[in-house]
């Protein structure tokens, strides 16, 4: 079956849509700013309310939303190829559940607004995510090689354990903590400041740099570990790189935005249904697509019920889910084979 | 070109391959035969460098396999594994183009790579399938697309694990002919085959394995004898002649084999009567 949409076209459309989406998102909110005024405000540094809202409230948040979306989608795409399973995502190697457990523990034991303030919670979440991935990796490792199936099962087992831990913490915590844990798990970017963005870049950038150039190697890996080796891919090194890159990228994303995972599953899948599986196009396209989806979800989360906020995790699922279903129904026959 | 000395590979205390030596010269087509579980696939994986032997060593072009970078090795040898399944909607063309990975840089494919991938699809007889989804193809079609990927890799040494699986009779012959031509052009090929008659027809040398040991090694004429086949497969055979003159293995009935059905015999007799 020839797919109707060429890779290049979709990638270029996504790329062109990104700056437009960034501007639109920057203009929307409780204090609306007209789209055409944004460049002028930023360029001429017109001091005033608009400049301050734009520079100190909107821009850091929009920037972080795009980065988080990119990180989730890119690592989702890489892990799907590695596990040769279109339903894999960063949850499978334990990073999300580990981060979630650590964040819940932090809230329950130290309190959401402890002395360490704003920084304690994201740092704990990031460390928890990374530690869990390391555990999964070490346990799945057998005499130099890491069989993909074992890695998958170890991840599932640790996810269950982390889930039990979170349940226990929820059981032990009081009303206030319970509310904080629940909201953390639903995700959100409210209160993003520039320092938080710079801090999030520390793990995100190396993670993205590790994952982004892997297109051709991931294509070979999608055929099978043995086939990839036969095609001259150093499989063990590639696996390490994917796991490390995903752990850094998703760890950073989850630390900054809380429990959001749906983006990583659905964006690569959408691209595959539209165009095909060639990872050389899939990786850059999902990176941009993930940024768009998460930016859209975050913008909706802060504008739909303003001045209050909807948790963004609800919105990513609400926006991505039906679109995903529609694509599946449209391509039912292909999807059955995929 | 490919030289293996006293190869051994064990899992726990069980030796899957034990003390096998072989020396494949350029221009030779080798076939490895043997019963299920005799160690054929394991031997092939040792020869590909995928498994490290517990004893002995493998050399390719005079250099130990362990000393090769994966990429340098992939430019010399290609493998067709037993059964492949892709869970992602790659097109047949994209799969064939993956054969060029050892020759390419990170991103762009040169026009030359596209040319070779197209040629390989045509050689494997699947040019008409190039824009189809690989996972939606039939088993035999997938097999031929995999073969196209192997061809696109432009290897000197071909390692094939039951390459004729899923293929119909004509495509089996075509695939064997392609491998044979590859060897006549100075390459070499080692194939695991269950079809002894295809082996007899195309192989220069046949290696029969039994319980990981080399039970017989030589030309088809030397190896395909009733004694060797009885020892390796526990099967009674008589050796006839193919029209081309090469040996033709015909398994003989055992006590459990159903008798030849009389009505069919009568029918055949009737047809012969009508013809004359």
């Amino acid at each position: 079956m020839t797919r109707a949409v060429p890779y290049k076209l979709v990638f270029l459309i996504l790329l062109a849509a990104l700056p437009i989406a960034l501007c639109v998102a920057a203009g929307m909110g409780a204090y609306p700013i007209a789209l055409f005024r944004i460049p002028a405000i930023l360029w001429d540094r017109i001091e005033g309310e608009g400049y301050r809202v734009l520079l100190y409230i909107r821009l850091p948040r929009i920037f972080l939303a795009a980065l988080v979306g990119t990180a989730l989608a890119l690592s989702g795409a890489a892990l799907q190829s590695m596990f040769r399973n279109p339903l894999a995502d960063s949850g499978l190697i334990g990073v999300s559940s580990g981060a979630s457990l650590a964040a819940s523990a932090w809230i329950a034991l130290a309190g959401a607004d402890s002395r360490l303030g704003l920084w304690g919670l994201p740092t704990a979440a990031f460390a928890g995510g990374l530690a869990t991935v390391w555990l999964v990796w070490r346990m799945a490792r057998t005499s130099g090689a890491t069989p993909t199936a074992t890695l998958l099962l170890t991840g599932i087992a640790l996810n269950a354990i982390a889930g039990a831990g979170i349940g226990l913490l929820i059981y032990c915590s009081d009303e206030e903590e319970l509310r904080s844990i629940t909201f953390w798990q639903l995700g959100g970017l409210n209160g993003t400041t520039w320092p938080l963005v710079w801090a999030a870049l520390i793990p995100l950038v190396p993670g993205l740099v590790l994952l982004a150039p892997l297109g051709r190697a991931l294509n070979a890996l999608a055929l099978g570990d043995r086939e990839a080796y036969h095609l001259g891919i150093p499989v063990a090194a590639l696996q390490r790189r994917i796991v490390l890159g995903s752990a850094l990228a998703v760890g950073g994303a989850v630390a900054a935005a809380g429990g959001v995972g749906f983006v990583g599953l659905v964006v690569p899948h959408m691209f595959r249904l539209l165009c095909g599986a060639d990872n050389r196009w899939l990786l850059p396209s999902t990176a941009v697509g993930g940024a768009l989806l998460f930016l859209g979800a975050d913008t909706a989360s802060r504008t739909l019920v303003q001045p209050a906020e909807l948790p963004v995790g609800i919105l990513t699922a609400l926006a991505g889910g039906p679109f995903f279903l529609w694509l599946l129904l449209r391509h039912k026959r292909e999807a059955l084979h995929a | 070109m490919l030289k293996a000395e006293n190869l051994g590979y064990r899992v726990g205390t069980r030796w899957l391959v034990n003390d096998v030596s072989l020396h494949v010269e350029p221009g030779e087509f080798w076939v490895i035969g043997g019963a299920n579980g005799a160690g054929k696939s394991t031997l092939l994986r040792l020869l590909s460098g995928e498994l490290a032997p517990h004893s002995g060593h493998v050399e390719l072009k005079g250099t130990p396999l362990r000393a090769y970078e994966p990429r340098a090795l992939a430019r010399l040898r290609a493998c067709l594994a037993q059964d492949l399944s892709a869970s992602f909607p790659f097109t047949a063309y994209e799969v064939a183009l993956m054969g060029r990975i050892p020759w390419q840089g990170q991103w762009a494919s040169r026009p030359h790579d596209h040319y070779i991938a197209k040629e390989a699809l045509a050689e494997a007889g699947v040019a008409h399938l190039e824009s189809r989804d690989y996972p939606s193809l039939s088993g035999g079609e997938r097999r031929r697309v995999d073969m196209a990927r192997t061809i696109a890799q432009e290897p000197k040494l071909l390692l094939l694990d039951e390459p004729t699986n899923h293929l119909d009779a004509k495509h089996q012959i075509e695939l064997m002919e392609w491998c044979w031509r590859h060897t006549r052009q100075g390459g070499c090929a080692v194939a695991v085959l269950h079809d002894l008659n295809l082996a007899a027809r195309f192989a220069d040398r046949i290696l029969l394995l039994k319980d990981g040991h080399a039970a017989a090694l030589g030309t088809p004429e030397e190896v395909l004898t009733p004694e060797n086949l009885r020892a390796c497969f526990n099967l009674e055979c008589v050796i006839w002649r193919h029209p081309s003159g090469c040996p033709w293995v015909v398994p003989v009935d055992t006590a459990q084999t159903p008798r030849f059905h009389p009505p069919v015999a009568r029918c055949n007799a009737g047809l012969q009567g009508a013809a004359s």
Side-chain angles (χ1 to χ4, degrees):
Chain A
M1 174 96 42
T2 315
R3 273 170 295 259
V5 199
Y7 290 116
K8 207 178 281 182
L9 181 68
V10 171
F11 177 61
L12 290 177
I13 289 174
L14 286 170
L15 207 58
L18 187 60
I20 300 170
L22 284 170
C23 285
V24 171
M28 285 170 74
Y31 179 92
I33 301 168
L35 194 57
F36 61 89
R37 279 185 54 215
I38 292 172
I41 292 177
L42 288 180
W43 187 255
D44 301 333
R45 296 172 177 256
I46 305 165
E47 290 292 333
E49 212 160 32
Y51 182 73
R52 280 197 300 279
V53 165
L54 205 56
L55 199 66
Y56 298 114
I57 298 174
R58 298 269 166 81
L59 284 189
R61 180 164 185 166
I62 284 158
F63 195 52
L64 192 61
L67 267 172
V68 164
T70 299
L72 291 172
L74 199 61
S75 61
L79 287 167
Q80 285 171 9
S81 287
M82 188 177 98
F83 286 114
R84 279 181 290 287
N85 186 336
L87 295 176
D89 80 338
S90 50
L92 278 181
I93 53 168
V95 56
S96 311
S97 58
S100 192
L101 177 62
S104 307
W106 183 267
I107 293 169
L109 302 176
D113 33 40
S114 72
R115 218 152 28 84
L116 289 163
L118 217 56
W119 297 96
L121 188 56
T123 313
F126 179 70
L130 223 56
T132 315
V133 175
W134 184 78
L135 257 179
V136 168
W137 181 256
R138 283 310 299 264
M139 287 164 92
R141 202 174 161 79
T142 45
S143 65
T146 313
T148 312
T150 320
L151 193 61
L152 190 76
L153 292 174
T154 319
I156 290 172
L158 277 190
N159 273 341
I161 296 170
I166 295 168
L168 200 63
L169 286 165
I170 288 177
Y171 179 74
C172 295
S173 52
D174 60 32
E175 288 287 319
E176 179 70 19
E177 289 161 2
L178 192 60
R179 200 176 152 74
S180 295
I181 291 176
T182 310
F183 270 90
W184 188 89
Q185 285 180 343
L186 288 172
L189 287 171
N190 45 335
T192 304
T193 54
W194 283 116
L196 195 69
V197 175
W198 305 136
L201 283 178
I202 297 170
L204 279 174
V205 168
L208 296 179
V209 167
L210 281 174
L211 293 177
L214 293 182
R216 211 186 284 280
L218 286 178
N219 279 352
L221 207 59
L223 287 180
D225 291 352
R226 292 174 58 188
E227 283 64 36
Y229 172 72
H230 293 154
L231 288 169
I233 306 291
V235 176
L238 181 64
Q239 279 182 338
R240 268 200 304 277
R241 185 168 167 171
I242 294 170
V243 171
L244 180 65
S246 306
L248 287 172
V250 178
V254 173
V260 281
F262 192 70
V263 183
L265 177 68
V266 80
V267 175
H269 216 122
M270 282 178 187
F271 184 80
R272 274 193 211 101
L273 286 173
L274 275 174
C275 309
D278 190 341
N279 285 295
R280 285 174 303 148
W281 290 106
L282 181 82
L283 289 188
S285 305
T286 47
V288 181
L292 280 170
L293 178 63
F294 200 66
L295 184 64
D298 180 57
T299 308
S301 93
R302 65 188 169 82
T303 52
L304 278 183
V305 291
Q306 61 190 10
E309 282 206 16
L310 267 178
V312 72
I314 298 175
L315 283 167
T316 46
L318 211 59
F323 184 55
F324 192 42
L325 269 182
W326 171 75
L327 276 174
L328 274 178
L329 292 175
R330 225 187 98 192
H331 295 263
K332 211 171 184 175
R333 275 192 55 209
E334 278 174 72
L336 279 176
H337 292 295
Chain B
M1 180 176 292
L2 179 71
K3 197 170 168 183
E5 305 264 9
N6 310 104
L7 275 189
Y9 185 82
R10 62 182 152 77
V11 173
T13 55
R14 216 171 80 82
W15 288 85
L16 299 183
V17 171
N18 198 348
D19 198 24
V20 175
S21 300
L22 51 89
H23 194 164
V24 185
E25 295 286 354
E28 281 186 340
F29 190 172
W30 281 56
V31 166
I32 304 172
N36 294 140
K40 304 182 297 291
S41 294
T42 309
L43 177 58
L44 209 66
R45 291 173 73 180
L46 288 168
L47 296 178
S48 77
E50 196 186 315
L51 297 176
H54 290 108
S55 73
H57 65 279
V58 186
E59 280 179 10
L60 182 60
K61 286 193 152 183
T63 312
L65 227 45
R66 290 286 117 195
Y68 279 97
E69 290 280 308
R71 190 178 161 96
L73 194 57
R75 291 184 174 190
L76 281 175
R77 69 98 183 84
C79 301
L80 186 62
Q82 253 186 40
D83 235 328
L84 276 182
S85 59
S87 23
F88 297 110
F90 289 106
T91 62
Y93 181 72
E94 285 165 352
V95 171
L97 191 61
M98 283 185 212
R100 299 304 299 163
I101 287 177
W103 303 92
Q104 290 171 319
Q106 193 65 254
W107 295 103
S109 302
R110 298 161 298 169
H112 179 65
D113 295 319
H114 287 288
Y115 171 76
I116 289 192
K118 275 210 192 302
E119 286 287 296
L121 282 166
E123 292 246 11
V126 281
H128 59 292
L129 300 176
E130 67 167 39
S131 56
R132 289 268 303 274
D133 262 357
Y134 176 81
S136 75
L137 298 176
S138 79
E141 288 169 333
R142 273 214 295 273
R143 200 80 189 135
R144 280 147 65 201
V145 173
D146 288 330
M147 192 59 201
R149 176 171 53 84
T150 314
I151 294 171
Q153 211 175 327
E154 294 190 308
K156 286 274 173 284
L157 169 66
L158 267 176
L159 298 174
L160 310 157
D161 200 351
E162 300 183 25
T164 54
N165 271 3
H166 304 298
L167 294 185
D168 62 44
K170 174 167 170 283
H171 286 116
Q172 291 190 9
I173 298 274
E174 279 184 2
L175 184 137
M176 294 301 282
E177 281 171 351
W178 191 91
C179 297
W180 187 83
R181 278 202 307 278
H182 171 77
T183 59
R184 296 313 110 164
Q185 288 155 8
C188 50
V190 180
V192 168
L193 271 189
H194 276 300
D195 188 331
L196 294 170
N197 291 320
L198 275 180
R201 186 78 185 80
F202 290 98
D204 297 302
R205 300 199 149 252
I206 297 180
L207 169 67
L208 281 187
L209 291 181
K210 180 177 166 55
D211 300 329
H213 289 279
L217 169 60
T219 62
E221 203 78 43
E222 293 161 4
V223 170
L224 298 176
T225 62
E227 298 74 38
N228 281 336
L229 296 174
R230 190 182 306 125
C232 284
F233 296 96
N234 195 19
L235 178 71
E236 292 299 323
C237 296
V238 292
I239 307 300
W240 285 6
R241 288 284 150 192
H242 185 266
S244 67
C246 69
W248 191 253
V249 178
V250 183
V252 181
D253 295 352
T254 69
Q256 276 78 40
T257 314
R259 294 299 105 199
F260 189 48
H261 213 262
V264 181
R266 270 208 301 280
C267 174
N268 283 345
L271 282 174
Q272 274 163 15
S276 65

